[in-house]
Amino acid sequence: MEDVKTWRQCLHQIPELGLEEFKTTAYLKEVLTSLGYQPIDLLETGVYVFIDNQKETTLAFRSDIDALAIQEANDVEYASTHQGYMHACGHDGHMAALLGFAKKLKESKNDFAHNFLLLFQPAEESPGGAKLVVETGLLLEYNVQAIFGMHLMPFIEEGTIACKSGAFMATNGELDIEIIGKSAHAGLYHQGIDSIVIATQLISQYQTIVSRMLSPFEPSVIHIGNIEGGSARNIVADKTVLKGTIRAFDEKAYQLIADKVLEINKGMEQAYDCTIHCTCPPMYPPVINDENLYLKFKENMIGNYIELKEPFMLAEDFSYYQKEVPGIFFFLGTKTEQYTSGLHTETFNFNETVLEKAIETYYQLACNM
């Protein structure tokens, strides 16, 4: 655990955005080489290790390696040294846990039933490095039969593994809308086209998509989180911009929402003689944990384990792997009285000792799957 703690804190100090993780990759290569492995480049950044146990099939274990554009507010000696960037989503812990697993495998005398592929994948946050990895043919090349991934989670008690079969996380997309009206003085509002009034009606109508056009058994979300419009209090706003997100557990449901947004926009253009530009491409597919693999996964859980009742409207590019091979994505809780900050916040942090649970879980799967 001293090694794991050192690795995590060193990685925490050098956060980098997706496909720019050059220092991170160099550090990972250095550690893996010191452990006796021969790391191989993965995409432009990232690295992987193939452990050949002379078996026919391979199990893959994945860690993401990128960080976020967030200025860290933690007062710790290992705080980020890269101004404006931070490992605010726990990927430094994910990497340290997979390095710890690599070390444990090196020291093990077990006769494993599979080969192992350890993936240190770039660009989970954006643009979705898992898709790029799949496109390299790596899973096929090494005959990967199953893949496992873990995410630290601050709303689950420290040391608890949490998972479920089937739908686990949502498909997501970014909704960007620009409403073009016509400027005028407020005292002569009839000479203008008020983009703010149109925006308020759009937001209201969008909510009817989920509440009236989808089955109540198809959980989904359409949310507008940012509005920018207008230049002065006495001027009719000629442009208003809306930014939001769409999320669903079914890709068809996602597409239905996106299509209905466009239909509502067209109706509003005709009603108000305005122009509405809209984009809402899907980003990551939903995370769907293979049901048969989950049964085996659950049998290997030792100690604190909870089976989640409901999926989460979060998103993860791990889903791209699951489109190719059976996979299990699970959470590892980090919540304590000291560590309560959420993911993607400037104060997110955790106790490195929790990573031992991740390493034990990986090893248990390696031995018994």
Side-chain angles (χ1 to χ4, degrees), residues 165-282:
S165 65
F168 189 59
M169 299 174 77
T171 183
N172 71 314
E174 294 182 348
L175 182 60
D176 291 295
I177 299 165
E178 184 180 61
I179 305 159
I180 306 298
K182 182 181 177 182
S183 182
H185 192 281
L188 301 169
Y189 60 82
H190 59 288
Q191 296 179 358
I193 300 174
D194 195 337
S195 64
I196 290 179
V197 168
I198 297 167
T200 61
Q201 294 195 42
L202 282 176
I203 294 171
S204 178
Q205 289 195 40
Y206 291 159
Q207 301 310 311
T208 65
I209 299 173
V210 173
S211 65
R212 290 295 180 268
M213 301 179 194
L214 282 175
S215 165
F217 301 104
E218 289 281 2
S220 56
V221 168
I222 179 169
H223 173 74
I224 301 299
N226 179 263
I227 305 175
E228 296 179 8
S231 57
R233 70 176 69 240
N234 61 343
I235 299 296
V236 174
D238 63 343
K239 184 174 78 170
T240 298
V241 174
L242 307 179
K243 295 182 180 181
T245 184
I246 299 175
R247 294 174 184 249
F249 295 113
D250 182 89
E251 291 179 272
K252 291 181 180 179
Y254 177 95
Q255 193 57 51
L256 185 148
I257 296 171
D259 291 343
K260 291 299 181 182
V261 165
L262 296 178
E263 290 178 16
I264 289 171
N265 292 350
K266 287 180 181 178
M268 202 65 69
E269 285 179 323
Q270 293 176 355
Y272 284 92
D273 196 24
C274 65
T275 300
I276 301 175
H277 303 295
C278 175
T279 60
C280 50

Side-chain angles (χ1 to χ4, degrees), residues 14-267:
I14 53 171
E16 298 166 295
L17 298 182
L19 302 179
E20 300 175 4
E21 309 98 326
F22 297 104
K23 289 183 180 179
T24 302
T25 297
Y27 183 85
L28 291 169
K29 286 182 177 180
E30 180 182 338
V31 173
L32 289 167
T33 301
S34 72
L35 293 175
Y37 291 106
Q38 294 180 318
I40 303 171
D41 290 337
L42 181 64
L43 305 177
E44 293 184 13
T45 55
V47 63
Y48 75 90
V49 165
F50 177 64
I51 302 171
D52 189 355
N53 294 319
Q54 300 297 308
K55 307 298 180 181
E56 293 184 2
T57 58
T58 299
L59 298 182
F61 298 83
R62 172 271 207 168
S63 167
D64 33 20
I65 71 172
D66 55 326
L68 292 158
I70 293 175
Q71 179 61 43
E72 182 162 16
N74 288 315
D75 183 17
V76 291
E77 59 183 15
Y78 54 88
S80 170
T81 60
H82 292 176
Q83 187 72 15
Y85 301 100
M86 177 191 174
H87 271 297
C89 201
H91 297 187
D92 50 342
H94 303 171
M95 288 184 279
L98 197 56
L99 288 172
F101 177 51
K103 181 176 181 179
K104 192 174 183 69
L105 288 176
K106 206 69 173 177
E107 297 170 348
S108 175
K109 305 299 181 182
N110 200 323
D111 181 20
F112 296 105
H114 305 276
N115 308 315
F116 301 121
L117 185 66
L118 310 186
L119 298 171
F120 294 86
Q121 173 219 303
E124 184 277 323
E125 299 290 351
S126 180
K131 183 175 186 292
L132 303 178
V133 173
V134 168
E135 290 172 351
T136 67
L138 204 63
L139 302 184
L140 184 63
E141 178 183 350
Y142 290 107
N143 195 22
V144 172
Q145 299 298 295
I147 187 167
F148 301 92
M150 178 273 295
H151 205 298
L152 299 177
M153 198 54 65
F155 58 77
I156 296 172
E157 293 299 322
E158 184 181 61
T160 298
I161 299 289
C163 191
K164 68 180 293 294
S165 65
F168 189 59
M169 299 174 77
T171 183
N172 71 314
E174 294 182 348
L175 182 60
D176 291 295
I177 299 165
E178 184 180 61
I179 305 159
I180 306 298
K182 182 181 177 182
S183 182
H185 192 281
L188 301 169
Y189 60 82
H190 59 288
Q191 296 179 358
I193 300 174
D194 195 337
S195 64
I196 290 179
V197 168
I198 297 167
T200 61
Q201 294 195 42
L202 282 176
I203 294 171
S204 178
Q205 289 195 40
Y206 291 159
Q207 301 310 311
T208 65
I209 299 173
V210 173
S211 65
R212 290 295 180 268
M213 301 179 194
L214 282 175
S215 165
F217 301 104
E218 289 281 2
S220 56
V221 168
I222 179 169
H223 173 74
I224 301 299
N226 179 263
I227 305 175
E228 296 179 8
S231 57
R233 70 176 69 240
N234 61 343
I235 299 296
V236 174
D238 63 343
K239 184 174 78 170
T240 298
V241 174
L242 307 179
K243 295 182 180 181
T245 184
I246 299 175
R247 294 174 184 249
F249 295 113
D250 182 89
E251 291 179 272
K252 291 181 180 179
Y254 177 95
Q255 193 57 51
L256 185 148
I257 296 171
D259 291 343
K260 291 299 181 182
V261 165
L262 296 178
E263 290 178 16
I264 289 171
N265 292 350
K266 287 180 181 178

